[in-house]
Amino acid sequence: MRFNQFAIVCLGLSGLSSAALANNAELIERGKYLATAADCVACHTTPEGKPFAGGVEFKLPFGSLYSPNITPDKETGIGSWSDEDFVSALHSGVGKDGKHYYPAFPYTSYTLMPEDEVLAIKAYLSSLDPINQAPPENTLSFPFNQRWGMVFWNMLFLDDGRFEPEPEQSEQWNRGAYLVQGPGHCAECHTPRNLFQALDSGEPLAGNLIQGWQAYNISSDETHGIGAWSEAELVNYMSKGYAPGKGVAGGPMAEVVNKSLRHLEETDLTAIATYLLSTEPQQAGIARPETKQLSMPTEMGLGSNLFAGACASCHRWDGKGNQSPVASLMGLKTVNDPAATNLLGILLTGHAGQEQQIDQRMPRFAEGYSDPELAAVSSFVLQHFGQSGGSVSAGDVAAKRGNTGH
Amino acid sequence: MNLLSINGEQHQLDVPDDMPLLWVLRDVLGLTGTKFGCGIAQCGACTVHLDGEAVRSCVLPVSAVAGKAIVTIEAIAENAVGAKVQQAWLEHEVVQCGYCQSGQIMSATALLQYKPSPSDAEIDAGMAGNICRCGTYTRIRAAIKDIGQA
Amino acid sequence: MDKSRFAVSRRGFLKGSSAALGGLVLSTWLPGFVPRSVAAEATAAGRLGDQSPRAYGAYVRIGHDGLVTVISPKIEMGQGAHTGIAMMVAEELEVPLSAVTIEDAPPDSELYADSLMQFQATGGSTSTRHSWKPLREAGATARLLLIQAAAARWGVDASQCHAKNGEVFGPAEQKLGYGELVDAASELPLPTEVVLKTPEQFTLLGTPARRIDTPNKVNGKAQFTIDLSVPGMLIASTMTCPVYGGTLLSVDDTTAKKVPGVRDVIKLDNAVAVTASNYWACQQGLKALKVEWDLGEHASINSAQIDEALLQASSRDGVVAHSTGDIGKALESAASRFEAVYEQAFLSHSPLEPMTCVAHVRADACELWVGTQVPVFAQQTAAKISGLPADKIIVNNQLIGGAFGRRLDYDFITQAVDVARHVSYPIKLIWSREEDMTHDLYRPQYADRLTAALDADGKPTGWQHRIAGASVLGRYMGSLPENGVDADAVEVAIEPIYELQNLLVNYVREEPKVVPVSWWRGVGPLRSTYALECFIDELAHNAGADPVEFRLSLLAEQPRAQAVLRLAAEKAGWGNTLPAGQGRGVAVSAVFGSYVATVVEMEMLGDKAVRIKRLVSAIDCGLVTNPTSVHAQIEGGTLFGLSASLFNEILIEQGVVQQTNFHNYRQLRINEAPGVEVHIVPSLEAPGGVGETGTALIGPALVNALHAASGTRLRRLPLSRAGYYPA
Ligand code: FES
Ligand code: FES
């Protein structure tokens, strides 16, 4: 078996270099921080699975992809990878076996990371316990199962180059730009995609619908983006998952905060905020609603009745948040999105992770309430707290059930 | 250290910041009138007043209430509206097992402070966050209505 | 005159303790009441009270201050039992209600077994029915002795004296307060005969009295089990194996032990407990545990399998619970037949106070503070787990924050003692709502298959009712009687109010073992009433008859049932035409010794949106102790049943209960609750139960109303399963 022999040779080589690196605790520590900033764990860990063992399903219109195992297991993980293999994966989207990755793996962002940072991540991953677990086979249909097609895609859309600081900007700004564009790969979710599933370079960070959730516009536009947020609010959002009256991280973004952002140093979060606030404003996507003085309606209907029972205890009729400002609905884009995308997402999936602070938890209402009821309460929330005039039908809720995955 | 003002008294407490007020009241201070029913802000049994507003103490981290005035069922009689609510509750024989009633009374008091003469719909909306498993709703409605009309 | 003769037990007259208390202690224990099996165990269990500071007689104690303490055989869980019992004693003893305080009876089957259930328990709507006679007798006996003591002091004949308002009056207007007479009275022999008041003489019974337990329930002072604190106590919380029958394999508690406030992590067979200075720390500790379970043999069971098994079981014959005439012949010669299957879901009790028990196990004794419907069983389980003799188990019963049958079981008491025996300090076990809901003992899921032989007019000439489900009685008692019939499950079905010839009732025991089952408010009569009253409604509809008229035509021999049905129909405006999309549904039944009928008026506000516009009940529960309590119990019981009928079902996935808290096991809220109109039929019959009647009637009335309003016939509860919701 030629392949196996080859693998053994590589193994020997990488084993050597990794061993040398593994001694370097500092490097591993740095790699861990970068892996956290890059949120590797999110895509490479199933909900019940072991960290980094892969197998997470990515549902695409033309089939499913499964993330690989990136623990140092020699058979099923990256235990036999050389440094070159690993760098090639992160910089060019080409794996050890010469296979091209699909851009669900954000190598178009990771490519901005300098080689030493990439290798630090590898050192960290190599220090983990190997887990023997192969991901399920991808189920893409033709022609999307033809990985070689990615060669052309890459020619068009991969800008294979490292991050270049802009000398006229501050060090902080550059740090932020690097984190956002490189390891943080924010654009992967927050920038709209073109026909070829590539990021639309014309509208960076202008927001995008991804995996059934709105990844809102995070450009510096005051109405549509985060331009009206203070730097402190952005830092609070990233470190705690909310900024009262501005935003609450739900769905996939809650995971990003939990697994990645909140572990970053405050200086890095401030850098990210500085950078985001300086980006080109994009007037696209959902606008922030005006905040106004609200109170209990005098006329009640199905939606407001349900709100009274299940929601008002935390969110209040004035939308200010009862037990804590986290529950504030005022000023959230979520209540101003006529499609109620994230509103339905949060109603159906909740926000109940045990890692969440007690005042940030919200139960999921998918089971206790029918489609017409969830539609009515969503419509009420949109109309009471927002100005989009949106309304939600039972059919919208039915369609949304089962489409709230990450 | 958290400095709390409960029923007009100051308490200096050494409890974790994320501990819900409910358990500080019940297990640390022995104020057991405030009840535990669900722990997820769905039943209202744990309702107390925070600066006069009804809040669910089971999801309220103690660190968030420092410097605010907390009032529990134990002191609600000192509030003129609260005392009326308690009286109306007795007159209407609202109570069955009684377990939800501290929360009901705290919510009713807050409602009546906000709307002294609530309409039927406002009573329902204002009290909908409080579950009563014994089904005392009809009497709660009547009792609040009575106070509103007095 | 209701002359009541009863034997008086010398040993029940605890003179020693009465002297110690300086009061009068009376027992009206009737030996005949106690079934052997229970009594034997109870005797073995010993007589705690003899040594405890609260030494007791059976029911009544009077102090030198004239204040009366009634030892209540029934606990207070919201149903007003304490007030009702206090009224019964006060009425006969001639004291104002305000002079009476209530103490809960300690475990003692000999003294406090329920005459209907035959063990010491609160439940099954028996509180009034059981207490009616012995408690009034206790009051009357005490009155007689006090009069005799006064007469002796004055040297007059007892017949010349009378008692009123806590005092005895003599022929010359002389009077003595009860407090001054108790010592003398306690020296007198107990009478062999007492005369009870007749209903016309009642001044208290039948009047709307204020509940005596409520003042402390509106100011936060009432203490439920969850509120108790005993010196040195820590809080405990448990995580029990998610699949019933599974066991604990291993626990890694390294992180849990570092949670501030956590004291101990204790491994039990099927659970792990954390003790800490407060509940929050317990929960944080539990979350930090790494636990491995052996999920056991039930880990692959899903609700769909249970549904299927029950449906199939409802086609089997099982055992015969009741048979008259010849159903086979009736079906053969019938003009037509009609068959329907009614399904009802597993239900959780979810009282608002979750399961809680304070336990202290010491080397020489174990003390429990717990609100329980079954104090003797609590004592027995504690004895078994702690290894102490039953007479070393002290049970202090407590106010209950809702039970609905949940606290007829003692699994949480067993667990509390199991935790407590591992530690030296007392613990207060508190289940989280999630633990409570996923480790309940559920109301069984049932499938009732009814088949009727019908004549040309659509009237039943034969009736077969097959009841398939798990047996609560079988689990509770360990086995069923030899005939294999669960008497509770077939109640009402075997004695329908309707005149039904050729009646065959089969009981098919089908146990989905993954879900332990227990009594739930309304128990057997609820299940049977649902199936019966839906079926009869379908028959009426098929016959083109008015549902009330159709029922009345089968109630010729049932004046009380007729009366409540007529009253409810009349009050609900039955017969007045309603606009399209609206309709009324009715149900009537004889349950727990009472007759009750309920009418629901419903409006469809869309395809699946239902609005209950009116809810009217009429009840004949015999002599009424406290009309306010009757109203309240029917209101509450109806809404309790409405909540379940609209929303509730416990579903099982991979052996695990899916409903965890009130967001997915939804409860009726005030803005979804219709008003409940209650009409009481005046009656001199023996008192019937009330607490569960409303619950039993609402389900069928609701389903029948849905049919009337929308034309859709649902046979499976809850309505939400078919997409209906209240609007
Ligand atoms: S215990 Fe706080 S709302 Fe239920
Ligand atoms: S009175 Fe029992 S829960 Fe409300």
Side-chain angles (χ1 to χ4, degrees):
Chain A
M1 298 290 279
R2 263 190 68 221
F3 175 78
N4 272 351
Q5 282 169 359
F6 177 71
I8 290 160
V9 175
C10 285
L11 193 139
L13 286 175
S14 73
L16 246 184
S17 60
S18 293
L21 293 171
N23 284 334
N24 194 335
E26 216 171 285
L27 183 69
I28 292 174
E29 217 19 67
R30 194 165 134 233
K32 181 176 179 184
Y33 186 77
L34 286 159
T36 305
D39 206 7
C40 308
V41 72
C43 290
H44 291 279
T45 312
T46 57
E48 303 291 298
K50 300 239 166 71
F52 302 106
V56 175
E57 184 182 7
F58 288 78
K59 284 199 187 111
L60 303 177
F62 29 85
S64 282
L65 290 174
Y66 294 88
S67 63
N69 179 342
I70 54 168
T71 69
D73 184 59
K74 287 183 178 129
E75 198 186 335
T76 59
I78 59 163
S80 62
W81 287 34
S82 68
D83 288 356
E84 292 72 23
D85 294 335
F86 195 78
V87 171
S88 158
L90 268 73
H91 280 171
S92 326
V94 180
K96 169 182 156 42
D97 39 24
K99 269 194 209 162
H100 281 266
Y101 291 125
Y102 295 96
F105 172 54
Y107 60 89
T108 52
S109 298
Y110 293 159
T111 195
L112 293 177
M113 298 169 75
E115 188 167 319
D116 64 319
E117 301 230 312
V118 172
L119 288 176
I121 292 180
K122 178 163 187 279
Y124 164 64
L125 292 175
S126 304
S127 74
L128 302 171
D129 287 339
I131 293 158
N132 191 285
Q133 174 190 305
E137 287 289 327
N138 294 337
T139 59
L140 297 187
S141 57
F142 185 83
F144 304 103
N145 56 358
Q146 303 301 299
R147 287 173 179 266
W148 51 263
M150 292 311 300
V151 173
F152 301 105
W153 193 92
N154 284 340
M155 279 168 65
L156 284 169
F157 303 115
L158 172 64
D159 187 0
D160 183 1
R162 282 355 108 219
F163 179 77
E164 299 282 351
E166 294 205 14
E168 72 277 16
Q169 295 285 4
S170 68
E171 203 178 310
Q172 172 161 302
W173 184 94
N174 274 305
R175 175 70 178 160
Y178 169 67
L179 287 168
V180 167
Q181 297 169 15
H185 65 282
C186 307
E188 298 286 337
C189 290
H190 288 280
T191 295
R193 288 180 185 261
N194 63 22
L195 221 54
F196 305 95
Q197 291 295 308
L199 301 179
D200 187 340
S201 48
E203 287 188 292
L205 306 181
N208 187 27
L209 181 70
I210 182 162
Q211 307 272 358
W213 290 83
Q214 273 291 346
Y216 293 125
N217 182 334
I218 53 167
S219 75
S220 71
D221 188 74
E222 292 211 358
T223 313
H224 300 86
I226 45 85
W229 300 39
S230 69
E231 204 169 82
E233 284 175 321
L234 282 165
V235 170
N236 198 68
Y237 179 92
M238 289 185 279
S239 56
K240 301 209 176 76
Y242 69 95
K246 296 295 190 328
V248 181
M253 192 61 203
E255 274 179 62
V256 174
V257 169
N258 270 325
K259 291 181 177 146
S260 172
L261 292 173
R262 73 185 174 99
H263 304 285
L264 300 192
E265 281 158 18
E266 192 165 329
T267 48
D268 277 347
L269 296 180
T270 313
I272 293 176
T274 306
Y275 171 70
L276 288 177
L277 284 167
S278 80
T279 56
E280 181 83 8
Q282 305 287 342
Q283 295 187 2
I286 296 137
R288 277 167 41 76
E290 287 162 32
T291 55
K292 44 185 180 175
Q293 210 54 43
L294 294 170
S295 56
M296 189 194 277
T298 36
E299 284 287 301
M300 301 298 288
L302 178 59
S304 48
N305 265 326
L306 290 164
F307 186 87
C311 318
S313 296
C314 290
H315 298 295
R316 299 170 57 109
W317 296 101
D318 60 11
K320 287 190 182 143
N322 208 13
Q323 283 67 237
S324 88
V326 191
S328 170
L329 293 177
M330 283 300 249
L332 300 190
K333 289 183 195 171
T334 298
V335 301
N336 213 32
D337 170 5
T341 309
N342 291 7
L343 180 58
L344 286 174
I346 201 83
L347 276 169
L348 290 170
T349 60
H351 194 58
Q354 295 299 356
E355 67 282 349
Q356 235 83 257
Q357 287 289 308
I358 186 85
D359 57 342
Q360 291 192 42
R361 291 182 204 159
M362 165 164 156
R364 49 183 279 157
F365 292 95
E367 288 80 17
Y369 295 78
S370 65
D371 293 350
E373 288 177 304
L374 292 173
V377 78
S378 303
S379 298
F380 169 74
V381 167
L382 292 183
Q383 285 150 20
H384 187 74
F385 298 105
Q387 294 93 37
S388 72
S391 105
V392 180
S393 73
D396 296 338
V397 181
K400 187 79 180 178
R401 285 183 192 265
N403 184 23
T404 49
H406 179 9
Chain B
M1 279 292 179
N2 287 283
L3 184 65
L4 300 188
S5 153
I6 299 165
N7 299 335
E9 271 178 49
Q10 304 296 313
H11 297 264
Q12 186 84 39
L13 295 173
D14 185 12
V15 292
D17 278 354
D18 63 346
M19 186 163 167
L21 176 64
L22 173 63
W23 301 107
V24 175
L25 293 173
R26 292 182 53 83
D27 288 353
V28 181
L29 296 171
L31 290 169
T32 55
T34 307
K35 304 300 186 208
F36 163 64
C38 70
I40 58 164
Q42 284 293 304
C43 79
C46 65
T47 307
V48 300
H49 288 183
L50 189 62
D51 285 345
E53 307 252 15
V55 296
R56 308 294 183 236
S57 63
C58 68
V59 292
L60 181 57
V62 64
S63 55
V65 299
K68 299 193 178 166
I70 300 156
V71 173
T72 69
I73 185 75
E74 282 88 351
I76 201 64
E78 291 159 28
N79 172 321
V81 178
K84 271 193 213 163
V85 172
Q86 288 175 312
Q87 198 47 40
W89 248 236
L90 293 177
E91 271 156 27
H92 285 265
E93 281 288 340
V94 168
V95 179
Q96 290 195 20
C97 84
Y99 193 76
C100 73
Q101 300 297 349
S102 299
Q104 305 278 9
I105 288 166
M106 297 308 283
S107 289
T109 305
L111 171 70
L112 284 159
Q113 273 174 330
Y114 166 68
K115 289 233 180 239
S117 300
S119 68
D120 289 0
E122 284 164 342
I123 294 173
D124 272 11
M127 299 301 294
N130 290 71
I131 288 173
C132 175
R133 285 291 281 147
C134 297
T136 60
Y137 297 136
T138 4
R139 285 160 191 269
I140 289 175
R141 230 180 249 141
I144 297 178
K145 186 106 197 155
D146 225 17
I147 302 169
Q149 283 167 350
Chain C
M1 279 271 156
D2 176 8
K3 282 199 177 183
S4 175
R5 296 183 155 271
F6 58 93
V8 171
S9 144
R10 237 6 251 186
R11 58 174 292 290
F13 187 19
L14 298 169
K15 233 167 140 200
S17 53
S18 92
L21 273 163
L24 174 66
V25 181
L26 292 172
S27 164
T28 58
W29 172 56
L30 301 174
F33 275 0
V34 185
R36 251 350 279 166
S37 58
V38 181
E41 289 204 49
T43 314
R47 315 298 302 279
L48 274 192
D50 293 358
Q51 295 104 44
S52 87
R54 329 182 315 163
Y56 59 87
Y59 294 128
V60 177
R61 218 156 57 202
I62 304 170
H64 285 137
D65 51 8
L67 294 179
V68 178
T69 304
V70 172
I71 318 295
S72 174
K74 300 293 177 182
I75 49 122
E76 180 58 59
M77 48 191 187
Q79 81 283 40
H82 278 180
T83 307
I85 280 166
M87 286 171 81
M88 292 173 200
V89 174
E91 178 75 64
E92 296 289 349
L93 185 54
E94 296 290 359
V95 291
L97 192 52
S98 56
V100 179
T101 46
I102 291 272
E103 245 178 47
D104 282 311
D108 189 326
S109 296
E110 278 192 47
L111 293 178
Y112 301 113
D114 183 280
S115 53
L116 294 136
M117 291 184 290
Q118 312 207 321
F119 62 102
Q120 187 180 348
T122 309
S125 296
T126 60
S127 294
T128 304
R129 285 190 285 165
H130 160 78
S131 311
W132 185 247
K133 199 160 170 267
L135 269 296
R136 286 168 61 218
E137 283 168 353
T141 302
R143 180 192 61 200
L144 200 61
L145 292 173
L146 292 161
I147 290 176
Q148 284 172 1
R153 177 107 39 111
W154 295 323
V156 299
D157 194 76
S159 64
Q160 294 175 285
C161 307
H162 71 281
K164 201 169 165 44
N165 213 12
E167 290 172 319
V168 180
F169 296 85
E173 294 301 300
Q174 61 272 65
K175 61 176 184 174
L176 282 165
Y178 285 0
E180 303 164 76
L181 292 167
V182 287
D183 287 335
S186 69
E187 298 297 323
L188 296 172
L190 288 176
T192 50
E193 192 176 293
V194 288
V195 179
L196 297 176
K197 284 186 175 178
T198 59
E200 308 83 69
Q201 295 170 318
F202 291 161
T203 54
L204 192 53
L205 288 171
T207 64
R210 285 277 176 85
R211 290 258 302 260
I212 58 175
D213 56 323
T214 45
N216 278 342
K217 289 178 175 177
V218 300
N219 60 21
K221 291 208 181 91
Q223 296 238 306
F224 300 86
T225 307
I226 200 170
D227 303 326
L228 301 176
S229 182
V230 302
M233 179 188 88
L234 290 186
I235 312 292
S237 264
T238 46
M239 184 198 300
T240 301
C241 183
V243 180
Y244 182 67
T247 49
L248 180 66
L249 284 180
S250 70
V251 182
D252 175 354
D253 60 11
T254 337
T255 349
K257 287 234 169 132
K258 290 185 193 135
V259 172
V262 166
R263 173 82 67 89
D264 290 304
V265 176
I266 298 151
K267 288 179 231 159
L268 308 179
D269 285 350
N270 67 342
V272 49
V274 171
T275 65
S277 55
N278 64 77
Y279 173 87
W280 180 245
C282 288
Q283 290 301 314
Q284 299 299 98
L286 284 173
K287 258 167 231 159
L289 293 174
K290 290 198 195 75
V291 183
E292 277 188 275
W293 305 105
D294 172 357
L295 296 178
E297 52 181 321
H298 305 315
S300 63
I301 297 183
N302 295 329
S303 277
Q305 294 161 271
I306 298 171
D307 291 357
E308 186 52 36
L310 279 171
L311 273 183
Q312 282 183 12
S314 74
S315 292
R316 295 202 298 268
D317 281 338
V319 294
V320 173
H322 182 80
S323 174
T324 55
D326 187 339
I327 180 70
K329 265 207 196 118
L331 285 168
E332 260 169 48
S333 56
S336 66
R337 293 179 187 189
F338 187 69
E339 182 174 290
V341 183
Y342 300 93
E343 294 170 274
Q344 298 177 73
F346 284 119
L347 295 172
S348 159
H349 301 84
S350 303
L352 206 53
E353 181 193 13
M355 294 306 104
T356 303
C357 175
V358 181
H360 190 195
V361 179
R362 300 181 295 266
D364 56 342
C366 163
E367 189 157 8
L368 299 178
W369 295 261
V370 60
T372 172
Q373 294 175 264
V374 284
V376 175
F377 291 169
Q379 188 180 52
Q380 287 168 351
T381 192
K384 194 167 153 207
I385 300 294
S386 65
L388 291 161
D391 65 353
K392 297 289 180 219
I393 314 289
I394 304 159
V395 180
N396 307 286
N397 218 332
Q398 304 294 325
L399 281 179
I400 285 180
F404 318 118
R406 180 62 181 88
R407 292 177 230 263
L408 275 170
D409 225 296
Y410 47 87
D411 53 322
F412 60 101
I413 302 174
T414 308
Q415 193 180 64
V417 178
D418 205 4
V419 174
R421 78 191 171 92
H422 286 87
V423 295
S424 56
Y425 45 87
I427 57 118
K428 174 162 71 181
L429 174 68
I430 304 176
W431 281 9
S432 67
R433 173 58 55 195
E434 288 77 12
E435 277 295 300
D436 186 278
M437 201 171 279
T438 53
H439 295 87
D440 200 346
L441 295 110
Y442 305 87
R443 197 294 295 269
Q445 188 174 333
Y446 294 106
D448 286 53
R449 184 180 298 269
L450 286 103
T451 315
L454 300 168
D455 66 16
D457 296 334
K459 286 272 178 60
T461 54
W463 184 284
Q464 179 166 17
H465 187 164
R466 286 198 184 93
I467 299 163
S471 171
V472 174
L473 202 63
R475 185 195 66 80
Y476 202 72
M477 295 301 180
S479 66
L480 284 178
E482 240 164 66
N483 65 6
V485 175
D486 180 323
D488 165 62
V490 302
E491 204 176 327
V492 171
I494 58 169
E495 291 172 318
I497 47 174
Y498 302 112
E499 234 180 289
L500 299 173
Q501 281 127 33
N502 304 311
L503 173 65
L504 175 63
V505 180
N506 303 90
Y507 174 67
V508 192
R509 187 173 179 183
E510 171 65 39
E511 295 282 343
K513 296 202 176 52
V514 63
V515 187
V517 295
S518 191
W519 320 98
W520 188 93
R521 195 175 193 174
V523 294
L526 169 117
R527 202 219 65 267
S528 289
T529 296
Y530 174 69
L532 230 118
E533 282 301 296
C534 289
F535 191 62
I536 202 94
D537 211 69
E538 292 205 46
L539 295 186
H541 179 77
N542 293 347
D546 175 83
V548 170
E549 290 306 321
F550 190 80
R551 285 174 171 84
L552 285 172
S553 73
L554 295 166
L555 288 172
E557 307 289 309
Q558 296 277 359
R560 295 177 76 190
Q562 274 184 33
V564 293
L565 179 55
R566 288 215 163 91
L567 182 61
E570 179 211 318
K571 296 286 182 190
W574 189 272
N576 299 350
T577 352
L578 291 169
Q582 300 190 21
R584 297 189 189 91
V586 66
V588 56
S589 195
V591 288
F592 309 103
S594 295
Y595 290 78
V596 53
T598 296
V599 175
V600 170
E601 186 178 314
M602 189 187 280
E603 179 179 2
M604 300 304 296
L605 293 177
D607 211 15
K608 299 271 163 134
V610 298
R611 170 164 299 165
I612 298 173
K613 295 181 68 185
R614 279 187 77 190
L615 225 162
V616 182
S617 276
I619 185 164
D620 169 357
C621 55
L623 277 167
V624 170
T625 302
N626 184 351
T628 310
S629 285
V630 172
H631 278 264
Q633 279 304 292
I634 294 183
E635 290 161 12
T638 304
L639 295 183
F640 184 83
L642 180 60
S643 194
S645 305
L646 281 174
F647 301 128
N648 295 153
E649 61 179 331
I650 289 292
L651 298 170
I652 312 294
E653 209 66 66
Q654 303 289 301
V656 177
V657 170
Q658 298 298 297
Q659 285 62 39
T660 52
N661 204 322
F662 296 128
H663 64 293
N664 55 15
Y665 193 76
R666 190 170 159 186
Q667 295 309 322
L668 192 76
R669 294 178 178 276
I670 192 171
N671 58 355
E672 298 161 334
V676 184
E677 300 164 43
V678 180
H679 303 278
I680 301 177
V681 178
S683 172
L684 292 177
E685 302 280 346
V690 175
E692 300 171 90
T693 55
T695 316
L697 271 289
I698 181 66
L702 185 72
V703 166
N704 294 340
L706 179 71
H707 179 255
S710 72
T712 305
R713 178 61 73 177
L714 273 196
R715 289 177 179 160
R716 179 164 183 154
L717 288 179
L719 261 61
S720 61
R721 197 182 163 90
Y724 292 94
Y725 56 90

